[in-house]
Amino acid sequence: MSFQSDNDRPRILQPSGWPLPKGYANGMAADGRIVVTGGVIGWDTAGDLPESFIAQVRQALSNIAAILAEGGARPEHLVRLTWYVIDMDEYLANLKALGRIYRELFGAHYPAMALVQVVRLVEKAARVEIEATAVVPR
């Protein structure tokens, strides 16, 4: 059985009667080749991290887009993002800016997402780390 939609994008799984999530999907189904990233942080090609949370998110998402492209995937192929932040309040206080950055880089495609607060990340100056999974249609 194929779960692909007519346009070869992952299909959003929204159980009947559930409230619609904002900025993410409850689940995704897709057929194709899997492209995954490791935990991606917001450093640039020189290995430098910006100080601000927002700048780190922008760079981390840009880095994910570059990794996806290297694997022949695009942001609309994303089926899952897992965000690790060191300060949940910082994330929540910046929802509008985060939404703008996300849409600017990935459009209006919202995969299944999880958000986890952690004590710290491997890189001490990192404020966010994101893992991505995409499925490229065959």
Side-chain angles (χ1 to χ4, degrees):
M1 170 190 261
S2 174
F3 289 101
Q4 288 302 112
S5 64
D6 292 336
N7 63 3
D8 284 336
R9 291 185 180 203
R11 185 170 63 94
I12 295 171
L13 304 177
Q14 178 64 29
S16 179
W18 282 28
L20 290 175
K22 294 179 183 172
Y24 68 96
N26 287 308
M28 303 290 288
D31 289 329
R33 183 175 48 82
I34 297 173
V35 176
V36 299
T37 72
V40 178
I41 62 172
W43 52 19
D44 61 20
T45 56
D48 296 325
L49 275 166
E51 285 187 33
S52 83
F53 175 72
I54 294 296
Q56 285 192 23
V57 168
R58 176 183 295 282
Q59 187 62 53
L61 293 175
S62 294
N63 293 347
I64 287 170
I67 294 167
L68 292 177
E70 191 70 20
R74 296 185 306 271
E76 63 265 25
H77 298 137
L78 285 167
V79 295
R80 181 165 186 78
L81 291 174
T82 303
W83 296 56
Y84 303 93
V85 298
I86 62 166
D87 185 344
M88 186 68 71
D89 291 332
E90 183 174 46
Y91 176 91
L92 294 172
N94 288 286
L95 288 176
K96 286 188 186 218
L98 291 170
R100 279 192 302 274
I101 291 166
Y102 183 93
R103 287 186 302 278
E104 176 186 318
L105 296 170
F106 288 176
H109 171 71
Y110 303 105
M113 291 190 212
L115 176 65
V116 181
Q117 181 173 310
V118 296
V119 173
R120 70 161 276 203
L121 300 165
V122 172
E123 294 296 325
K124 268 191 151 176
R127 305 193 63 71
V128 62
E129 184 171 318
I130 306 170
E131 295 175 329
T133 303
V135 178
V136 180
R138 296 185 194 272

